[in-house]
Amino acid sequence: MIEATAVTGMVIASSPINEYDRRIVLLTKERGKITAFARGARRQYSPMLASTQLFAFGTFRVIEGRNAYTLTGAEITNYFEIIPRDPMKACYGSYFLEMAGYYARENNNEVELLKLLYQTLRILCRDVVPYPLIRVIFELRTFVVNGEYPEAFHCVICGSEEGLNHFSPVRSGILCDRCLAEGGTVLPLSPSALYAIQYIITSPIERLYTFNVSPEVLHELQKIMEGYIRRHIDRDFKSLEILDVMTNMGTF
């Protein structure tokens, strides 16, 4: 009999398979992103009914197969049950899961990404940081975890640390006043927005969500991340489309 392996992780995708089964994607500390099938998980009294829902975090027992894993059991320590019950939280949370899934890889070290996702969902539940700010922090720090974040400490063209008042999505970083003409389409960057970007890039994940910004600075950060994501991610997130539609309608 094949012995199950215990992995620590979170359900980042879940879909029904056949009449009673469920296919889930786990972001795990030990094995990166893995796909697992939970037999009978959709039955009314299945012990795996709750543990195969989105956002469930804990220890999962899996048996490795040729192309996927089989889930045999789980001990969940946090269901983040507040998130699915609130439409606003659910939209933001689903986007965070989808973006994490985009970057996660199988058999890759995803400890930092899992930690970031967990801390982000915790703060989303607490209502102490504005959701749009949580979003830009998560987006930028995800790029940091993936190793492709923008240059935010000196001009990407000349290396100057003075007059850093512009951001260039094309150049993937900040520009000084002298190099402005070489940056393509640039965005204004205030000292406060620059400091926020530097803080997000360098702070421990546990300290990421301990600050707030003015509406003007938040708007700058949103525009910068919109441009950067458009430049560096080659797919559309379904959850983000829904979130943006709802936001534009004024629902959130």
Side-chain angles (χ1 to χ4, degrees):
M1 182 177 178
I2 301 176
E3 190 171 337
T5 299
V7 295
T8 300
M10 180 182 295
V11 179
I12 61 173
S14 181
S15 58
I17 297 291
N18 302 324
E19 187 174 0
Y20 296 112
D21 303 336
R22 187 167 289 277
R23 173 187 179 273
I24 64 173
V25 178
L26 293 169
L27 177 61
T28 73
K29 181 173 66 174
E30 296 84 359
R31 303 199 178 187
K33 182 173 69 172
I34 64 174
T35 298
F37 291 91
R39 311 299 179 187
R42 298 172 61 210
R43 294 182 183 276
Q44 185 175 0
Y45 298 108
S46 170
M48 291 189 289
L49 181 64
S51 60
T52 55
Q53 302 299 312
L54 288 179
F55 308 109
F57 176 89
T59 300
F60 298 83
R61 296 186 299 279
V62 296
I63 296 175
E64 186 173 5
R66 180 175 300 178
N67 300 312
Y69 292 77
T70 297
L71 181 68
T72 62
E75 288 79 44
I76 304 302
T77 57
N78 196 338
Y79 287 98
F80 291 103
E81 62 271 11
I82 296 175
I83 296 177
R85 297 174 185 169
D86 184 302
M88 175 165 41
K89 289 182 173 64
C91 282
Y92 276 96
S94 296
Y95 172 51
F96 301 149
L97 295 186
E98 193 174 2
M99 190 171 188
Y102 172 80
Y103 276 111
R105 297 291 181 268
E106 188 171 355
N107 295 320
N108 195 37
N109 185 342
E110 303 293 2
V111 173
E112 288 296 295
L113 184 58
L114 179 61
K115 185 190 298 185
L116 172 63
L117 182 59
Y118 185 85
Q119 293 295 336
T120 302
L121 295 181
R122 282 188 64 199
I123 206 70
L124 182 66
C125 292
R126 292 177 56 196
D127 291 323
V128 294
V129 178
Y131 299 142
L133 180 57
I134 295 175
R135 172 178 166 178
V136 296
I137 293 173
F138 177 80
E139 289 170 340
L140 178 52
R141 191 53 180 251
T142 299
F143 280 112
V144 173
V145 171
N146 197 53
E148 58 179 18
Y149 57 97
E151 173 54 59
F153 295 90
H154 56 75
C155 176
V156 292
I157 295 177
C158 72
S160 173
E161 297 180 1
E162 303 294 332
L164 304 177
N165 299 312
H166 316 278
F167 183 89
S168 171
V170 174
R171 294 282 188 169
S172 298
I174 55 177
L175 298 174
C176 69
D177 295 332
R178 292 177 298 179
C179 297
L180 179 59
E182 301 178 55
T185 301
V186 300
L187 299 166
L189 182 67
S190 68
S192 295
L194 176 59
Y195 178 81
I197 290 172
Q198 293 173 340
Y199 183 88
I200 295 167
I201 290 173
T202 59
S203 291
I205 289 176
E206 294 81 3
R207 298 287 299 167
L208 274 179
Y209 299 104
T210 58
F211 72 98
N212 210 332
V213 296
S214 68
E216 294 77 18
V217 170
L218 177 57
H219 182 71
E220 284 184 64
L221 296 175
Q222 288 175 308
K223 289 299 181 183
I224 287 170
M225 290 313 303
E226 286 173 12
Y228 197 77
I229 288 173
R230 197 178 304 117
R231 183 78 181 178
H232 292 273
I233 295 183
D234 59 357
R235 62 162 286 184
D236 296 322
F237 296 115
K238 293 181 180 179
S239 55
L240 181 57
E241 294 175 7
I242 297 172
L243 178 57
D244 286 343
V245 168
M246 300 296 283
T247 301
N248 291 334
M249 290 173 60
T251 305
F252 299 160

